[in-house]
């Protein structure tokens, strides 16, 4: 009896997954079409279809393919990347509430940014271009440190140990960020940060 119930449940899972994908695909297409019609210059649904088929005017093609389509594609790719990273973190930690903040990844990104703003006198353009790269490197370094500290030769990577080590590392990095921001001169460091003071910018990354 229990075997038959389990087999029926296992058979319903692929159908449920397919239905979920179809529903979200339809919703994504609807949002895509709505975004195509949203903007300072409105394009009707027929105009969007004509432009997609190659029968639109030069102005409609510029609006659709030059401005709105890249914006929509970037939003879709960013959302897909966040979803995949969230699934990986939750699967590795076996915690449905896991996020990069728990594992110290956000704090590592914020610390790298604060270190750069604190010790490297750079121009406004250079700072803006380098900050995302440095944040990525800091996040990767923090993730590697958490993994190295949480890994055990005999027990492997235990989810509970990973979460505890990530929380401890995150607290230590945030403390270091506070010390660095307290030692800064607000007048000399405000102009090098695109979001005001380094304290505000680093705190925004570390707590996001």
């Amino acid at each position: 009896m229990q075997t038959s119930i389990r087999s029926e449940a296992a058979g319903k899972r692929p159908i449920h997954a397919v239905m979920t994908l179809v529903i979200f695909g339809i919703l994504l297409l609807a949002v895509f079409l709505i975004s195509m019609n949203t903007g300072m210059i409105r394009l009707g649904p027929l105009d969007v279809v004509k432009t997609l088929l190659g029968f639109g005017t030069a102005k409609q093609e510029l609006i659709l393919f030059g401005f709105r389509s890249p914006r929509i594609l970037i939003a879709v790719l960013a959302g897909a990347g966040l979803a995949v990273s969230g699934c990986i973190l939750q699967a590795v930690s076996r915690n449905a509430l896991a996020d990069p903040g728990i594992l110290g990844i956000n704090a590592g990104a914020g610390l790298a940014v604060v270190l750069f703003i604190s010790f490297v006198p750079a121009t406004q353009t250079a700072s803006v271009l380098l900050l995302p790269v440095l944040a990525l490197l800091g996040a990767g370094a923090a993730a590697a440190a958490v993994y190295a500290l949480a890994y055990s030769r005999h027990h492997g990577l235990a989810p509970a140990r990973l979460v505890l080590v990530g929380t401890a590392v995150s607290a230590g990095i945030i403390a270091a960020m506070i010390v660095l921001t307290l030692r800064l001169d607000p007048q000399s460091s405000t102009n090098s940060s695109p979001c005001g003071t380094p304290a505000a910018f680093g705190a925004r990354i570390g707590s996001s």
Side-chain angles (χ1 to χ4, degrees), residues 161-177:
R161 183 181 177 88
L162 180 66
V163 173
L164 291 175
V165 172
T167 303
V169 170
S170 178
I173 293 176
I174 292 175
M177 289 173 56

Side-chain angles (χ1 to χ4, degrees), residues 2 32 57-58 93 104 108 133 150 154 177 190-191:
Q2 294 181 354
F32 182 83
T57 63
S93 62
V133 179
H154 301 287
M177 289 173 56
T190 300
N191 294 330

